[in-house]
Amino acid sequence: MSGRPLIAVTSGEPAGIGPEICLRLIEFNSAAGNADLLILADRKLLAERAEAVGFAGKLREWTSGLHPAPGCLDVLHVPLSVPSHPGQLDPANADYVLQLLDRGIEGCLSGIYAAIVTAPVHKGVINDSGIQFTGHTEYLAEKTGTPHVVMMLAGGGLKVALATTHLPLKAVSPSLTQESLEQTIRILHAEMVRKYAITKPRILVAGLNPHAGEGGYLGHEEIEVITPVLERLRAEGLQLIGPLPADTMFTPPMLAQGDCILAMYHDQGLTALKYASFGNGINITLGLPIIRTSVDHGTALELAGSGQADPGSLFAAVEQAIAMASRHM
């Protein structure tokens, strides 16, 4: 296009706020000037939502080689399976949502897009359609043939990665093995170097149990799984601090010692992250052969079509994708 990175943005669940926060990217596009944005969506859906929220720009059908134009938002048309209405989920559109992701992934793998940014999807309605879907992270890993990826959220001055992702709490301990934890730490370390240009990243590692197991009195995962991995990787030169009690890990003195955090399970790490950054946090998938960032919120069906949805998280996700893509150009 213009020698700048082309960032693909999937509009997500059509009944949610994804389409309208994507429309707000015309504001970001006008101000950024250092990347080209492409929205993957049903063109009629975007036009309907644009009318509902008073979108002042022009929706333009994208073709390869098209140069950006002021006041225009470029759209790659992917047709809905059935018409969609704000706030009304329909399992019939689950395939459409996944087609958006597939088109974005294919474009990144082929080098057309420098990165993919994803608006929120609704896991429940995709599963209601008969398609097993755990989340973006797992879907991207499967579609890119990546055996091990790491989910990380960033915002509020924090970078929090997860050793396990979307699992019931009772499944966390059995899933936390030395092998999986070592893979996660290696990916996290490498991506801090590659994507964030931190030469020697310092990683704060949480324990799994209260008080990091209290020397075995409150659990043995720290002794049997976490500590042996940390000691082995420290011997290779990785800077790993822990295992740390999760209830004190997010205090300012402890945070000052690290560049990022590795939590053992979803809510252990993300409760603090979302408290610090809700509305402006982002999700990054580490370990993929492509760059992927995302919003840190859901579909907000109750706000769909109102024009009141905050695009801050999407703006932050696009900004991060551009920064990462620019480092690799």
Side-chain angles (χ1 to χ4, degrees), residues 22 77 91 175 179-180 220 222 244 249 295:
C22 284
H77 175 61
S175 299
E179 180 183 13
S180 68
H220 292 268
E222 288 77 12
L244 301 169
M249 187 172 60
V295 297

Side-chain angles (χ1 to χ4, degrees), residues 32 58 71 84 89 95 109 114 132 155 196 201 204 217 226 234 318:
K58 177 183 177 183
S84 178
L89 293 172
D95 185 62
L109 289 174
Q132 186 175 359
Y196 288 94
L204 305 177
Y217 289 101
I226 302 173
R234 285 190 194 112
V318 170

